[in-house]
PDB file of all heavy atoms in Angstrom:
ATOM      1  N   ASN A   6      12.522  -9.122  27.585  1.00  0.00           N
ATOM      2  CA  ASN A   6      13.350  -9.714  26.648  1.00  0.00           C
ATOM      3  C   ASN A   6      12.444 -10.613  25.795  1.00  0.00           C
ATOM      4  O   ASN A   6      12.156 -11.701  26.208  1.00  0.00           O
ATOM      5  CB  ASN A   6      14.403 -10.667  27.282  1.00  0.00           C
ATOM      6  CG  ASN A   6      15.350 -11.173  26.223  1.00  0.00           C
ATOM      7  OD1 ASN A   6      15.203 -11.062  25.092  1.00  0.00           O
ATOM      8  ND2 ASN A   6      16.476 -11.728  26.812  1.00  0.00           N
ATOM      9  N   TRP A   7      11.866 -10.071  24.652  1.00  0.00           N
ATOM     10  CA  TRP A   7      10.972 -10.759  23.916  1.00  0.00           C
ATOM     11  C   TRP A   7      11.515 -11.959  23.187  1.00  0.00           C
ATOM     12  O   TRP A   7      10.824 -13.072  23.088  1.00  0.00           O
ATOM     13  CB  TRP A   7      10.396  -9.811  22.804  1.00  0.00           C
ATOM     14  CG  TRP A   7      11.285  -9.383  21.730  1.00  0.00           C
ATOM     15  CD1 TRP A   7      12.165  -8.334  21.813  1.00  0.00           C
ATOM     16  CD2 TRP A   7      11.621 -10.002  20.453  1.00  0.00           C
ATOM     17  NE1 TRP A   7      12.900  -8.193  20.737  1.00  0.00           N
ATOM     18  CE2 TRP A   7      12.598  -9.209  19.848  1.00  0.00           C
ATOM     19  CE3 TRP A   7      10.984 -11.118  19.802  1.00  0.00           C
ATOM     20  CZ2 TRP A   7      13.006  -9.575  18.547  1.00  0.00           C
ATOM     21  CZ3 TRP A   7      11.434 -11.387  18.544  1.00  0.00           C
ATOM     22  CH2 TRP A   7      12.423 -10.522  17.945  1.00  0.00           C
ATOM     23  N   LYS A   8      12.798 -12.062  22.900  1.00  0.00           N
ATOM     24  CA  LYS A   8      13.355 -13.264  22.373  1.00  0.00           C
ATOM     25  C   LYS A   8      13.455 -14.342  23.220  1.00  0.00           C
ATOM     26  O   LYS A   8      13.075 -15.474  22.958  1.00  0.00           O
ATOM     27  CB  LYS A   8      14.774 -12.996  21.814  1.00  0.00           C
ATOM     28  CG  LYS A   8      14.932 -12.017  20.573  1.00  0.00           C
ATOM     29  CD  LYS A   8      16.314 -11.761  20.215  1.00  0.00           C
ATOM     30  CE  LYS A   8      16.451 -10.710  19.090  1.00  0.00           C
ATOM     31  NZ  LYS A   8      17.676 -10.438  18.678  1.00  0.00           N
ATOM     32  N   LYS A   9      13.809 -14.131  24.517  1.00  0.00           N
ATOM     33  CA  LYS A   9      13.847 -15.172  25.524  1.00  0.00           C
ATOM     34  C   LYS A   9      12.375 -15.628  25.831  1.00  0.00           C
ATOM     35  O   LYS A   9      12.174 -16.887  25.974  1.00  0.00           O
ATOM     36  CB  LYS A   9      14.370 -14.646  26.815  1.00  0.00           C
ATOM     37  CG  LYS A   9      14.611 -15.604  27.876  1.00  0.00           C
ATOM     38  CD  LYS A   9      15.257 -15.072  29.096  1.00  0.00           C
ATOM     39  CE  LYS A   9      15.223 -16.002  30.301  1.00  0.00           C
ATOM     40  NZ  LYS A   9      15.745 -15.402  31.484  1.00  0.00           N
ATOM     41  N   GLU A  10      11.427 -14.761  25.784  1.00  0.00           N
ATOM     42  CA  GLU A  10      10.155 -15.129  26.153  1.00  0.00           C
ATOM     43  C   GLU A  10       9.563 -16.036  25.066  1.00  0.00           C
ATOM     44  O   GLU A  10       8.815 -16.991  25.287  1.00  0.00           O
ATOM     45  CB  GLU A  10       9.222 -13.851  26.200  1.00  0.00           C
ATOM     46  CG  GLU A  10       7.873 -14.117  26.814  1.00  0.00           C
ATOM     47  CD  GLU A  10       7.060 -12.841  27.063  1.00  0.00           C
ATOM     48  OE1 GLU A  10       7.661 -12.091  27.825  1.00  0.00           O
ATOM     49  OE2 GLU A  10       6.002 -12.761  26.546  1.00  0.00           O
ATOM     50  N   LEU A  11       9.827 -15.756  23.786  1.00  0.00           N
ATOM     51  CA  LEU A  11       9.451 -16.472  22.632  1.00  0.00           C
ATOM     52  C   LEU A  11      10.042 -17.949  22.694  1.00  0.00           C
ATOM     53  O   LEU A  11       9.482 -18.898  22.303  1.00  0.00           O
ATOM     54  CB  LEU A  11       9.682 -15.923  21.208  1.00  0.00           C
ATOM     55  CG  LEU A  11       8.673 -14.925  20.718  1.00  0.00           C
ATOM     56  CD1 LEU A  11       9.160 -14.369  19.360  1.00  0.00           C
ATOM     57  CD2 LEU A  11       7.345 -15.626  20.603  1.00  0.00           C
ATOM     58  N   LEU A  12      11.439 -17.987  22.956  1.00  0.00           N
ATOM     59  CA  LEU A  12      11.999 -19.233  23.033  1.00  0.00           C
ATOM     60  C   LEU A  12      11.433 -20.176  24.154  1.00  0.00           C
ATOM     61  O   LEU A  12      11.230 -21.372  23.951  1.00  0.00           O
ATOM     62  CB  LEU A  12      13.495 -19.159  23.363  1.00  0.00           C
ATOM     63  CG  LEU A  12      14.444 -18.688  22.178  1.00  0.00           C
ATOM     64  CD1 LEU A  12      15.804 -18.326  22.672  1.00  0.00           C
ATOM     65  CD2 LEU A  12      14.464 -19.804  21.242  1.00  0.00           C
ATOM     66  N   GLU A  13      11.081 -19.612  25.264  1.00  0.00           N
ATOM     67  CA  GLU A  13      10.509 -20.256  26.492  1.00  0.00           C
ATOM     68  C   GLU A  13       9.086 -20.724  26.074  1.00  0.00           C
ATOM     69  O   GLU A  13       8.602 -21.848  26.566  1.00  0.00           O
ATOM     70  CB  GLU A  13      10.542 -19.546  27.719  1.00  0.00           C
ATOM     71  CG  GLU A  13      11.880 -19.352  28.175  1.00  0.00           C
ATOM     72  CD  GLU A  13      11.958 -18.431  29.447  1.00  0.00           C
ATOM     73  OE1 GLU A  13      10.915 -17.762  29.718  1.00  0.00           O
ATOM     74  OE2 GLU A  13      13.211 -18.114  29.919  1.00  0.00           O
ATOM     75  N   SER A  14       8.318 -19.916  25.331  1.00  0.00           N
ATOM     76  CA  SER A  14       6.964 -20.241  24.968  1.00  0.00           C
ATOM     77  C   SER A  14       6.786 -21.520  24.067  1.00  0.00           C
ATOM     78  O   SER A  14       5.858 -22.164  24.098  1.00  0.00           O
ATOM     79  CB  SER A  14       6.214 -19.053  24.578  1.00  0.00           C
ATOM     80  OG  SER A  14       6.629 -18.791  23.169  1.00  0.00           O
ATOM     81  N   GLY A  15       7.836 -21.559  23.117  1.00  0.00           N
ATOM     82  CA  GLY A  15       7.774 -22.634  22.136  1.00  0.00           C
ATOM     83  C   GLY A  15       6.887 -22.426  20.993  1.00  0.00           C
ATOM     84  O   GLY A  15       6.419 -23.252  20.221  1.00  0.00           O
ATOM     85  N   ARG A  16       6.404 -21.112  20.771  1.00  0.00           N
ATOM     86  CA  ARG A  16       5.546 -20.739  19.740  1.00  0.00           C
ATOM     87  C   ARG A  16       6.393 -20.874  18.293  1.00  0.00           C
ATOM     88  O   ARG A  16       5.741 -21.225  17.376  1.00  0.00           O
ATOM     89  CB  ARG A  16       5.041 -19.371  19.890  1.00  0.00           C
ATOM     90  CG  ARG A  16       4.047 -19.395  21.059  1.00  0.00           C
ATOM     91  CD  ARG A  16       2.941 -18.144  20.615  1.00  0.00           C
ATOM     92  NE  ARG A  16       2.093 -18.083  21.751  1.00  0.00           N
ATOM     93  CZ  ARG A  16       0.793 -18.298  21.718  1.00  0.00           C
ATOM     94  NH1 ARG A  16       0.364 -18.765  20.597  1.00  0.00           N
ATOM     95  NH2 ARG A  16       0.196 -18.262  22.674  1.00  0.00           N
ATOM     96  N   PHE A  17       7.477 -20.515  18.360  1.00  0.00           N
ATOM     97  CA  PHE A  17       8.430 -20.725  17.131  1.00  0.00           C
ATOM     98  C   PHE A  17       9.394 -21.690  17.499  1.00  0.00           C
ATOM     99  O   PHE A  17      10.529 -21.395  17.952  1.00  0.00           O
ATOM    100  CB  PHE A  17       9.032 -19.436  16.790  1.00  0.00           C
ATOM    101  CG  PHE A  17       8.038 -18.336  16.348  1.00  0.00           C
ATOM    102  CD1 PHE A  17       7.493 -17.441  17.254  1.00  0.00           C
ATOM    103  CD2 PHE A  17       7.728 -18.202  14.994  1.00  0.00           C
ATOM    104  CE1 PHE A  17       6.582 -16.430  16.843  1.00  0.00           C
ATOM    105  CE2 PHE A  17       6.748 -17.170  14.725  1.00  0.00           C
ATOM    106  CZ  PHE A  17       6.236 -16.367  15.539  1.00  0.00           C
TER     107      PHE A  17
END
Side-chain angles (χ1 to χ4, degrees):
N6 188 350
W7 67 274
K8 291 180 182 180
K9 182 179 176 187
E10 193 173 304
L11 271 180
L12 280 170
E13 291 171 355
S14 73
R16 290 210 184 245
F17 293 92

